[in-house]
């Protein structure tokens, strides 16, 4: 079996908000709050700041592929004061095993207090052994040997983690404590230290054969606490602990297991939970068990054949869109699957042609949330992300840096602002963005051009009288659903790392509205102050520029975005890098640097704005791959491989590492000398850690991550997407059955449709029924394989292993499992 994949989807059609946040202690009782999304304690997303509110509404959606295992999905509410200092108000932490309880539901969660004692993550490996020792005088003593082997995934506090373990034997009349050595700058410490504790026996105890007495053992427990000793000024910080009752030793007197670290009991402050407020969330979480590729052949072949089915409404892909609650659910895996196999254009062309033929009014073409619209949206997100960055990022960065006031609503105008000055500021920004968009046609990805060509032809054929429909069919996507949303929320399209400040956000809203109106080639019915502003652009040259641009991007596939000449900044930010070759050893070689990527080169600088310390031309990047954590005992590392050496870099979190790998791979994937193999570990101490070869020029030992078509940014796993589609069909099996009944009803009775069946699009009942039968057969076969897999996995699960550490809920299961195994071993 291939590994278990994780996917976390924060719903794109619901929103989050908080209420009853405690007021600020002072005359101004309002707060400026934002919310973060964390995997354990690693922040992966941050919302905008909602100012002056105790019931902030965020209304933001976040989608994230989870690249690692985790224990909690956490949400923190922070308050930013007038000095721009952030303090936590409360948090919601949902255990991974509880996520399914809240799947797809709007849920209000009480905010819980945040304290250092409760911020716990990671696991510890312990080995306990109870043995008897006979002294020279013949007295029998019993000793407990406690071996602290290692920890994994400890939290990093303020950028540092220097952990040590405190080990105590607890009982009614004792509390013996010992400590390990401190391990510097690692959150995966290898201790491997043994501590001995004498377990006193009653004087009457004379049996030579050792036998643990239940009443004695029940009174003793081992306590192991992990501490961070990096902060000498304020003392050690608690990282987590575990309490192990000695009854786990059983008759064998040996216990070897991994434990999840737990919060300290009663360590937090006494706070009334209701005083912290609450947070509304809608979480959609899926875990996919992906089988080897051959298991998916029947369902995958059925899906990929969809573009050739007549009518397309009888195809497997279209049926998926019909039975899913939201079209977006179906669009995401379908688009990825069709992109992976190079069949996205014929599929979208087929479903778009069918939708156009069902549309009666050219003014409403592609305006609904149909499967066609959602599939094109998803394709543009995947294929057009690089195009967006090259086109919009420089001007968006400038707008966010300058902070010019552009408010033109007289009601919202501040006393110190001038309306005409603001209008001129806004007009200049709109003009510049309009120009960069309408002159960017040659960089539009080929796959988008091919889809737009198909939309244009279908619309022009269907509505031959309307001369503008060939433009509006394309502009409804490229302007209304691509450029305008990216301008409005640049952080969601990776154009900015975080939300703009409120003033800049308002400026971007006004620009987005104007670009949307200009791109639609129609007069907008909007607020009077906006209507007056649109008069600036009431010239034929703007309409002509839009039409020329739309003509260009709807000409089928002949533009190459690699023809860009002007250096465009694609991504930048602080990361930690390792020296590239002068010194091979020691943490001193890791330094924080400002990294900058353009379409020409990848550079790093001592700080932002200074000259480059190192420049790597894009054509010299031979591969970009993850670096195994064991190389330097550091998480979130990746390597940029060049002809002579590799540059090792640590990103700030796992999501950011993936973003950098994606975009570096994107800009370099057409290099002629790209590698086919690489070393997943570093070259240290005279050999490669992965394959142990001593030559630093030795060819790689692992195949490089598969490249992607030139205009697709994200890596796509076809088997993973087919598994996702299988899960959707399983979820909506009742609707599949209803659709089969609807086909039968349509075939034999041509009267008014049953209300339950009226929502399905069924153009050919017999062909649709045939496809439905094939879908159900393929899904049932996969369901049987999943059932067998889960059965086998349950049998092999060993509680206390590295993969399944003992937690607060699994301890009793472990005791039961151990007692059963000891019973049957006799």
């Amino acid at each position: 079996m291939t590994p278990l994949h994780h996917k976390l989807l924060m719903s794109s059609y619901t929103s989050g908000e908080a209420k009853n946040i405690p007021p600020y202690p002072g005359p101004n009782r309002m707060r400026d709050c934002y919310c973060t999304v964390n995997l354990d304690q690693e922040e992966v997303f941050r919302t905008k700041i909602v100012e002056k509110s105790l019931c902030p509404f965020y209304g933001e959606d976040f989608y994230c592929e989870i690249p690692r295992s985790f224990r909690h999905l956490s949400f923190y509410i922070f308050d930013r004061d007038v000095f721009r200092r952030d303090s936590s108000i409360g948090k919601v932490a949902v255990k991974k095993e509880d996520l399914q309880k809240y799947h797809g539901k709007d849920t209000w969660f009480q905010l819980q207090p945040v304290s250092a004692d409760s911020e716990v993550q990671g696991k510890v490996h312990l080995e306990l052994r109870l043995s008897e020792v006979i002294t020279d005088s013949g007295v029998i003593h019993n000793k407990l040997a406690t071996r602290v082997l290692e920890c994994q995934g400890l939290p990093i506090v303020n950028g540092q983690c220097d952990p040590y373990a405190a080990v105590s034997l607890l009982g009614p009349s004792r509390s013996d404590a010992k400590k390990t050595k401190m391990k510097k700058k690692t959150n995966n410490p290898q201790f491997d230290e043994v501590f001995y504790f004498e377990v006193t026996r009653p004087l009457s105890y004379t049996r030579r054969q050792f036998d643990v007495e239940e009443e004695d053992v029940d009174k003793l427990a081992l306590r192991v606490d992990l501490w961070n000793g990096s902060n000498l000024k304020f003392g050690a910080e608690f990282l987590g602990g575990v309490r192990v009752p000695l009854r786990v030793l059983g008759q064998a007197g040996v216990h070897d297991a991994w434990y999840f670290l737990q919060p300290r009991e009663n360590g937090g402050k006494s706070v009334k939970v209701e005083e912290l407020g609450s947070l509304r969330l809608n979480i959609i979480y899926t875990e996919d068990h992906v089988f080897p590729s051959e298991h998916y052949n029947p369902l995958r072949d059925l899906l990929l054949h969809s573009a050739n089915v007549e009518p397309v409404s009888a195809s497997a892909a279209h049926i998926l869109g019909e039975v899913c609650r939201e079209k977006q659910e179906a669009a995401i895996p379908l688009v990825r699957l069709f992109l992976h196999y190079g069949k996205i254009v014929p599929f979208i062309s087929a479903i778009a042609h069918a939708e156009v033929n069902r549309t009666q009014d050219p003014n409403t073409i592609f305006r609904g949330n149909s499967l066609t619209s959602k599939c094109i949206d998803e394709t543009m997100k995947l294929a057009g992300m690089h195009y967006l960055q090259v086109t919009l990022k420089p001007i968006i960065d400038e707008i966010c840096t300058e902070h010019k006031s552009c408010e033109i609503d007289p009601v919202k105008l501040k006393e110190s602002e001038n309306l005409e000055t603001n209008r001129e500021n806004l007009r200049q920004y709109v003009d510049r963005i309009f120009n960069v968009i309408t002159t960017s046609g040659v960089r539009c990805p080929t796959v988008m051009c091919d889809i737009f060509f198909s939309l244009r032809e279908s619309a022009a054929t269907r509505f031959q009288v309307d001369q503008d429909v060939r433009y509006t069919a394309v502009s409804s996507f490229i302007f209304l659903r691509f450029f305008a949303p990216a301008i409005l929320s640049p952080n969601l399209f990776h154009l900015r790392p975080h939300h703009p400040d409120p003033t800049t956000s308002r400026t971007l809203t006004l620009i987005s509205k104007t670009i949307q109106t200009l791109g639609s080639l129609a007069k907008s019915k909007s607020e009077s102050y906006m209507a007056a502003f649109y008069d600036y652009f009431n010239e034929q040259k703007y309409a002509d520029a839009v039409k020329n641009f739309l003509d260009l991007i709807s000409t089928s596939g002949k533009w190459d975005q690699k023809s860009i000449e002007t250096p465009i900044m694609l991504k930048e930010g602080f990361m930690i890098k390792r020296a590239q070759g002068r010194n091979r050893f020691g943490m001193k070689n890791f330094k924080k640097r400002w990294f900058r990527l353009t379409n020409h080169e990848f550079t790093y600088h001592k700080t932002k704005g200074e000259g480059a310390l190192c420049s790597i031309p894009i054509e010299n990047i031979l591969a970009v791959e993850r670096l195994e954590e064991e190389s330097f005992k550091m998480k979130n590392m990746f390597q940029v491989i060049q002809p002579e050496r590799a540059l090792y870099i640590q990103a700030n979190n796992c999501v950011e590492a993936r973003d950098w790998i994606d975009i570096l791979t994107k800009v370099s994937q057409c290099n002629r000398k790209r590698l086919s193999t690489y070393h997943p570990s570093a070259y240290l101490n005279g050999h490669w850690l992965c394959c142990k070869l001593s030559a630093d020029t030795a060819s790689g030992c692992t195949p490089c991550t598969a490249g992607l078509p030139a205009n697709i940014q994200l890596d796509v796993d076809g088997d993973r997407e087919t598994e996702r589609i299988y899960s959707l069909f399983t979820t909506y099996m009742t609707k599949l059955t209803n659709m089969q009944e609807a086909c039968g009803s349509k075939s034999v009775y041509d009267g008014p449709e049953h209300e339950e069946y009226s929502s399905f699009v069924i153009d050919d009942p017999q062909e649709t029924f045939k496809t439905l039968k094939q879908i159900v057969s393929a899904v049932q076969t996969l369901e049987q394989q999943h059932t067998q897999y889960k059965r086998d996995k349950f049998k092999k699960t060993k509680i206390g292993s590295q993969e399944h550490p003992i937690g607060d809920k699994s301890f009793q299961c472990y005791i039961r499992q151990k007692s059963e195994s000891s019973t049957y071993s006799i």
Side-chain angles (χ1 to χ4, degrees):
M1 298 291 175
T2 52
L4 174 71
H5 289 275
H6 299 282
K7 182 161 75 172
L8 171 67
L9 176 62
M10 296 290 295
S11 169
S12 59
Y13 45 86
T14 58
S15 54
E17 60 181 313
K19 66 180 181 181
N20 302 327
I21 300 295
Y24 189 80
N28 180 14
R29 297 169 62 79
M30 296 293 104
R31 292 184 182 267
D32 298 343
C33 295
Y34 65 89
C35 179
T36 67
V37 182
N38 295 53
L39 291 176
D40 295 320
Q41 291 185 41
E42 182 180 13
E43 181 183 323
V44 295
F45 179 73
R46 181 180 296 193
T47 69
K48 63 188 175 187
I49 295 176
V50 177
E51 296 183 320
K52 298 180 176 61
S53 175
L54 299 180
C55 297
F57 178 83
Y58 298 107
E60 295 192 39
D61 313 318
F62 173 58
Y63 168 88
C64 174
E65 295 279 348
I66 300 179
R68 64 169 177 83
S69 60
F70 67 101
R71 288 173 64 186
H72 294 88
L73 177 65
S74 302
F75 304 83
Y76 290 76
I77 296 291
F78 286 91
D79 174 48
R80 177 165 292 181
D81 63 19
V82 292
F83 301 106
R84 301 186 65 81
R85 294 175 303 196
D86 298 339
S87 57
S88 58
I89 295 175
K91 71 173 182 179
V92 171
V94 184
K95 291 184 178 179
K96 179 185 171 184
E97 57 266 29
D98 294 336
L99 285 171
Q100 284 299 329
K101 285 197 294 188
Y102 307 108
H103 178 79
K105 301 173 185 175
D106 263 342
T107 308
W108 282 99
F109 295 88
Q110 288 288 337
L111 288 173
Q112 303 296 324
V114 178
S115 68
D117 290 322
S118 67
E119 297 296 281
V120 169
Q121 67 182 58
K123 53 191 176 182
V124 60
H125 187 190
L126 303 175
E127 182 184 297
L128 280 63
R129 188 177 299 271
L130 199 58
S131 57
E132 62 179 21
V133 179
I134 304 176
T135 64
D136 294 338
S137 60
V139 178
I140 298 175
H141 291 277
N142 297 285
K143 285 195 173 182
L144 174 68
T146 301
R147 185 181 179 194
V148 183
L149 289 99
E150 60 178 312
C151 292
Q152 289 185 358
L154 297 178
I156 297 174
V157 182
N158 297 323
Q160 288 185 300
C161 188
D162 296 342
Y164 67 89
V167 185
S168 306
L169 184 63
L170 307 176
S173 59
R174 68 156 73 206
S175 181
D176 303 334
K178 305 175 188 291
K179 293 181 182 178
T180 67
K181 294 176 183 177
M182 185 186 297
K183 299 295 180 180
K184 291 284 188 176
K185 298 181 180 178
T186 177
N187 65 336
N188 298 301
Q190 301 279 335
F191 294 114
D192 200 8
E193 295 188 39
V194 181
F195 302 99
Y196 294 93
F197 298 93
E198 187 171 321
V199 180
T200 305
R201 287 299 196 187
L203 292 175
S204 60
Y205 181 74
T206 57
R207 293 177 58 186
R208 298 192 60 80
Q209 182 178 355
F210 177 72
D211 183 18
V212 177
E213 294 180 348
E214 187 69 24
E215 60 272 19
D216 292 338
V217 171
D218 277 345
K219 298 175 183 178
L220 298 175
L222 189 78
R223 176 81 193 180
V224 180
D225 290 327
L226 274 298
W227 297 86
N228 176 23
S230 61
N231 194 335
L232 298 177
K233 183 177 180 181
F234 296 101
E237 295 162 297
F238 180 72
L239 299 178
V242 61
R243 186 179 184 276
V244 185
L246 293 197
R247 70 174 184 272
V248 300
L249 292 165
Q251 291 184 344
V254 178
H255 175 65
D256 185 341
W258 284 83
Y259 280 84
F260 278 128
L261 295 173
Q262 303 294 334
R264 189 158 49 179
E265 296 175 3
N266 302 320
K269 297 177 181 178
S270 178
V271 178
K272 290 183 180 179
V273 171
E274 63 269 16
E275 292 179 358
L276 298 178
S278 52
L279 181 65
R280 181 170 67 86
L281 301 167
N282 187 304
I283 304 169
I284 296 179
Y285 173 78
T286 61
E287 268 188 11
D288 296 328
H289 300 261
V290 183
F291 293 125
S293 189
E294 61 270 15
H295 290 256
Y296 298 104
N297 286 341
L299 181 57
R300 181 173 53 236
D301 293 346
L302 197 60
L303 290 161
L304 294 177
H305 185 62
S306 294
N308 302 321
V309 175
E310 287 288 345
V312 73
S313 61
S315 69
H318 194 279
I319 288 171
L320 180 66
E322 288 297 295
V323 299
C324 283
R325 184 181 65 177
E326 299 289 338
K327 303 296 184 188
Q328 183 80 357
E329 282 184 289
I332 291 174
L334 282 175
V335 166
R336 291 168 180 246
L337 181 70
F338 281 103
L339 276 171
H340 182 71
Y341 288 99
K343 295 192 174 185
I344 190 65
V345 175
F347 170 63
I348 288 183
S349 297
I351 60 175
H353 184 72
E355 182 174 333
V356 169
N357 287 340
R358 286 194 294 268
T359 303
Q360 302 301 317
D361 183 356
N363 294 316
T364 62
I365 194 167
F366 300 128
R367 292 302 170 95
N369 287 321
S370 63
L371 182 63
T372 305
S373 299
K374 291 299 182 183
C375 282
I376 296 176
D377 286 352
E378 190 63 23
T379 302
M380 291 192 300
K381 284 179 185 175
L382 293 173
M385 195 60 70
H386 181 62
Y387 173 44
L388 261 185
Q389 291 177 327
V390 167
T391 305
L392 290 183
K393 196 172 191 315
I395 181 64
I396 294 293
D397 284 344
E398 189 177 324
I399 292 169
C400 292
T401 303
E402 290 181 343
H403 300 292
K404 287 184 180 178
S405 178
C406 297
E407 182 57 72
I408 59 172
D409 183 355
V411 176
K412 296 181 179 179
L413 201 68
K414 296 178 182 177
E415 291 184 7
S416 59
E417 294 176 348
N418 181 277
L419 184 60
E420 289 305 316
T421 302
N422 287 4
R423 276 182 182 156
E424 180 59 21
N425 291 341
L426 183 60
R427 188 192 65 77
Q428 289 181 11
Y429 281 149
V430 170
D431 248 337
R432 291 177 60 191
I433 286 186
F434 180 83
N435 286 332
V436 298
I437 290 174
T438 54
T439 57
S440 70
V442 294
R443 297 194 292 271
C444 187
T446 303
V447 68
M448 289 171 61
C449 292
D450 290 343
I451 290 171
F452 294 150
F453 173 77
S454 176
L455 299 182
R456 171 181 172 151
E457 292 299 300
S458 293
T461 303
R462 174 76 172 87
F463 302 103
Q464 296 181 14
V465 178
D466 192 325
Q467 294 300 308
D468 283 338
V469 73
R470 59 185 179 145
Y471 295 117
T472 55
V474 178
S475 69
S476 62
F477 288 104
I478 195 70
F479 279 103
L480 273 65
R481 304 171 89 118
F482 188 61
F483 283 122
I487 295 167
L488 183 65
S489 303
N491 58 300
L492 298 183
F493 290 81
H494 306 294
L495 299 177
R496 295 291 295 174
H498 296 297
H499 276 277
D501 61 80
T503 300
T504 305
S505 183
R506 174 62 176 166
T507 297
L508 294 174
T509 300
L510 296 172
I511 295 171
S512 179
K513 280 186 177 183
T514 309
I515 292 297
Q516 187 172 320
T517 300
L518 292 174
S520 67
L521 296 171
K523 291 187 177 180
S524 174
K525 298 177 182 178
S526 59
E527 303 93 333
S528 58
Y529 67 88
M530 287 301 295
F533 179 68
Y534 293 151
D535 288 341
Y536 282 122
F537 306 97
N538 193 19
E539 298 180 34
Q540 189 60 36
K541 67 176 183 179
Y542 289 101
D544 290 343
V546 170
K547 289 182 178 181
N548 290 337
F549 169 68
L550 295 174
D551 281 335
L552 195 57
I553 65 171
S554 57
T555 303
S556 183
K558 60 184 179 184
W559 306 108
D560 181 9
Q561 64 181 11
K562 288 291 179 182
S563 62
I564 306 166
E565 296 297 335
T566 307
I568 301 295
M569 204 278 290
L570 303 176
K571 188 173 178 64
E572 60 182 347
F574 276 112
M575 292 189 289
I576 295 172
K577 68 94 188 175
R578 183 178 185 267
Q580 293 188 70
R582 291 189 295 273
N583 295 319
R584 292 185 181 273
F585 311 104
M587 290 298 293
K588 62 183 179 181
N589 289 324
F590 287 90
K591 295 183 179 178
K592 191 174 183 180
R593 293 288 183 253
W594 180 262
F595 284 82
R596 193 170 186 270
L597 174 66
T598 72
N599 54 318
H600 284 186
E601 61 183 354
F602 182 47
T603 61
Y604 61 78
H605 314 246
K606 191 168 184 179
T607 188
K608 185 177 181 180
E610 291 194 6
L613 298 174
C614 175
S615 172
I616 304 172
I618 295 300
E619 57 267 23
N620 283 359
I621 297 178
L622 306 184
V624 184
E625 299 286 347
R626 293 191 181 277
L627 187 71
E628 289 183 353
E629 188 178 322
E630 290 73 18
S631 296
F632 300 107
K633 311 299 181 190
M634 296 168 69
K635 290 180 178 292
N636 308 319
M637 290 202 71
F638 63 95
Q639 51 184 319
V640 180
I641 304 171
Q642 308 159 67
E644 301 297 327
R645 59 179 65 89
L647 173 61
Y648 299 134
I649 302 171
Q650 183 188 35
N652 295 312
N653 59 58
C654 58
V655 174
E656 186 177 292
R658 183 175 182 138
D659 288 345
W660 274 104
I661 293 170
D662 281 344
I663 195 167
L664 282 163
T665 300
K666 164 71 185 170
V667 297
S668 64
Q669 62 192 354
C670 292
N671 291 348
R672 278 176 275 180
K673 295 183 180 180
R674 276 188 68 86
L675 298 177
S676 57
T677 59
Y678 78 106
H679 292 283
S681 293
Y683 184 85
L684 290 174
N685 302 327
H687 67 273
W688 293 99
L689 298 181
C690 43
C691 59
K692 308 305 179 187
L693 292 176
S694 58
D696 59 358
T697 56
S699 298
C701 57
T702 303
C704 286
T705 305
L708 297 161
N711 49 18
I712 308 299
Q713 179 180 341
L714 293 181
D715 194 0
V716 176
D717 182 341
D719 297 334
R720 162 75 183 281
E721 302 309 327
T722 311
E723 170 64 30
R724 185 90 294 276
I725 292 169
Y726 151 75
S727 297
L728 289 171
F729 275 134
T730 303
T731 301
Y732 296 108
M733 184 57 74
T734 303
K735 283 194 173 183
L736 284 175
T737 305
N738 290 342
M739 202 170 184
Q740 285 180 308
E741 293 173 359
C743 288
S745 176
K746 272 205 163 193
S747 296
V748 299
Y749 179 62
D750 200 25
E753 286 189 88
H754 192 288
E755 185 178 349
E756 193 176 0
Y757 305 151
S758 61
S759 60
F760 298 129
V761 175
I762 303 174
D763 297 320
D764 186 328
Q766 289 184 332
E767 193 66 29
T768 304
F769 186 85
K770 175 184 170 184
T771 306
L772 283 164
K773 193 174 178 181
Q774 292 172 308
I775 292 171
V776 171
S777 174
V779 167
Q780 287 176 343
T781 301
L782 277 169
E783 196 164 15
Q784 291 169 3
Q785 293 166 349
H786 274 279
T787 302
Q788 186 61 45
Y789 168 77
K790 290 175 182 175
R791 209 175 280 139
D792 293 344
K793 184 184 177 187
F794 180 77
K795 289 179 182 177
K796 295 175 183 177
T797 298
K798 181 185 175 185
I799 300 174
S801 65
Q802 187 172 357
E803 295 75 24
H804 301 281
I806 299 172
D808 51 353
K809 288 186 178 180
S810 59
F811 182 75
Q812 293 302 324
C813 295
Y814 174 81
I815 294 294
R816 186 165 59 251
Q817 186 185 69
K818 185 160 184 175
S819 64
E820 287 173 358
S821 64
S822 63
T823 301
Y824 292 113
S825 65
I826 297 174

